[in-house]
Amino acid sequence: MLGVVQSVGLSSDTVARYAKCCEAVVEFCGRRGLDALSGSVVEEFVACQQERARRGEVGPNRRNALVKSARLMLEFQTTGAGGWRMMSPDPDLTLSENAVSY
């Protein structure tokens, strides 16, 4: 999957960030004794990242990168290919209480 990230011309820092995100997904699966992703595992991972963001353990950009990585890893596992694309933020993300609305 990282080949897909590299092929679209992202900076080496961005590729390294997504490599760390992929490692986090693999660790998540490993802690659960899983050797493959599934839709339900990705959804569990997403829910876990939402909770981490809610507790302030990760910021919204990191959370989005983790979720995007997990979804692309599942796509790559399922199809053997992954298409890098912009992903809209999940609608369940809410603005912090300190956000200013216009």
Side-chain angles (χ1 to χ4, degrees), residues 6 14 33 45 54 63 69 74-75 77-78 81 83-84 96:
Q6 291 170 323
T14 300
F45 182 79
R54 187 191 67 73
R63 179 209 172 268
S69 296
L74 176 60
E75 180 181 342
Q77 176 186 291
T78 305
W84 188 264
S96 73

Side-chain angles (χ1 to χ4, degrees), residues 3-4 13 19 21 34 54 57 64 66 74 93 95 98:
V4 172
D13 288 344
C21 290
L34 304 169
R54 187 191 67 73
E57 294 174 16
N64 289 342
L66 287 161
L74 176 60
L93 284 180
L95 294 175
N98 298 329

Side-chain angles (χ1 to χ4, degrees), residues 4 6 8 12 14 19 26-27 31 33-36 41 49 51 53 56-57 59 61-62 65 71 91 97 100:
V4 172
Q6 291 170 323
V8 296
S12 59
T14 300
V26 170
E27 288 174 15
R31 286 192 303 270
L34 304 169
D35 59 359
V41 171
Q49 301 317 308
E51 179 59 22
E57 294 174 16
N61 290 341
R62 173 79 171 152
R71 290 178 176 162
E97 294 175 3
V100 177

Side-chain angles (χ1 to χ4, degrees), residues 38-99:
S38 67
S40 62
V41 171
V42 169
E43 290 308 310
E44 183 181 348
F45 182 79
V46 169
C48 210
Q49 301 317 308
Q50 286 175 249
E51 179 59 22
R52 289 181 68 212
R54 187 191 67 73
R55 291 191 309 249
E57 294 174 16
V58 295
N61 290 341
R62 173 79 171 152
R63 179 209 172 268
N64 289 342
L66 287 161
V67 168
K68 182 175 187 172
S69 296
R71 290 178 176 162
L72 285 173
M73 288 172 74
L74 176 60
E75 180 181 342
F76 188 81
Q77 176 186 291
T78 305
T79 66
W84 188 264
R85 60 197 165 278
M86 295 300 293
M87 297 178 111
S88 299
D90 286 339
D92 53 5
L93 284 180
T94 57
L95 294 175
S96 73
E97 294 175 3
N98 298 329

